Amino acid sequence: MLALAPQQLLDTAADLFYARGVTATGVDLVAAESGVAKTTMYAHFGSKDGLVAAYLRERGSEWRGSLRDEVARRSPDPGGRLLALFDVLAERLDAPGFRGCPFINAAAELCDREHPAWEAMTEHRTWMRGFAIELAEAAGARDATGLAASVLMLHDAAMVHGALDRTGGAAARRACESAATLLAAARA
């Protein structure tokens, strides 16, 4: 955990980056809204790019911890846990203020793959892929890697569709139906 001022800066930046976008949010606004001097940001994060990377790392860590717990809580059945990914997503899509996946949003804005945030995005995607494979293996899929890739595509598509078309959790529920069909085929 960061000291109070850097954590306040990161929390404020996270809210602004998510609401406005990372490129549209300047360090002057983050400093003004947080009440923390820009020099503190530079001392703890090095640059705005470092702050963006820290934001994504923190969001990713929070999401991964809650996702693993929620999936386990929602179903004792291995196949049910794989499909529970979409139940958790549906709730997220229906939450007030949902503006899409912070990782997909950042990837759309940050075309330079050398940007420090790409490392955080890659770490998150690697974990998500591994978690989906773990769930697919436990569910008895013959090709767990293939099923996991398809499930992640449906998961990502539901997030984008839910945000762009403002269909909320309905997009995740529809994606879950497709995932259930894929799961059944992968077990046959």
Side-chain angles (χ1 to χ4, degrees), residues 17-103:
F17 290 155
Y18 188 69
R20 297 174 178 224
V22 296
T23 57
T25 302
V27 294
D28 289 333
L29 179 61
V30 173
E33 292 286 320
S34 68
V36 178
K38 286 191 295 185
T39 54
T40 301
M41 182 204 69
Y42 292 118
H44 288 276
F45 303 103
S47 64
K48 178 185 172 187
D49 292 350
L51 184 60
V52 172
Y55 148 67
L56 290 173
R57 278 197 181 85
E58 186 169 89
R59 283 286 166 104
S61 177
E62 291 167 358
W63 174 245
R64 292 186 298 267
S66 68
L67 182 63
R68 182 174 289 283
D69 293 345
E70 279 299 308
V71 163
R73 184 184 69 76
R74 288 169 190 259
S75 180
D77 172 66
R81 286 193 293 273
L82 181 68
L83 299 177
L85 287 170
F86 297 95
D87 295 335
V88 175
L89 179 60
E91 287 179 6
R92 185 155 191 145
L93 290 168
D94 285 336
F98 179 78
R99 216 184 83 51
C101 171
F103 296 93

Side-chain angles (χ1 to χ4, degrees), residues 68-148:
R68 182 174 289 283
D69 293 345
E70 279 299 308
V71 163
R73 184 184 69 76
R74 288 169 190 259
S75 180
D77 172 66
R81 286 193 293 273
L82 181 68
L83 299 177
L85 287 170
F86 297 95
D87 295 335
V88 175
L89 179 60
E91 287 179 6
R92 185 155 191 145
L93 290 168
D94 285 336
F98 179 78
R99 216 184 83 51
C101 171
F103 296 93
I104 293 172
N105 294 348
E109 289 188 65
L110 304 172
C111 299
D112 178 7
R113 295 274 178 144
E114 299 302 314
H115 190 287
W118 273 93
E119 185 177 323
M121 288 186 270
T122 300
E123 289 168 6
H124 182 71
R125 290 301 290 179
T126 299
W127 185 90
M128 287 293 294
R129 188 176 305 107
F131 186 48
I133 291 170
E134 175 187 321
L135 293 171
E137 286 172 345
R142 288 185 326 272
D143 176 11
T145 301
L147 177 59

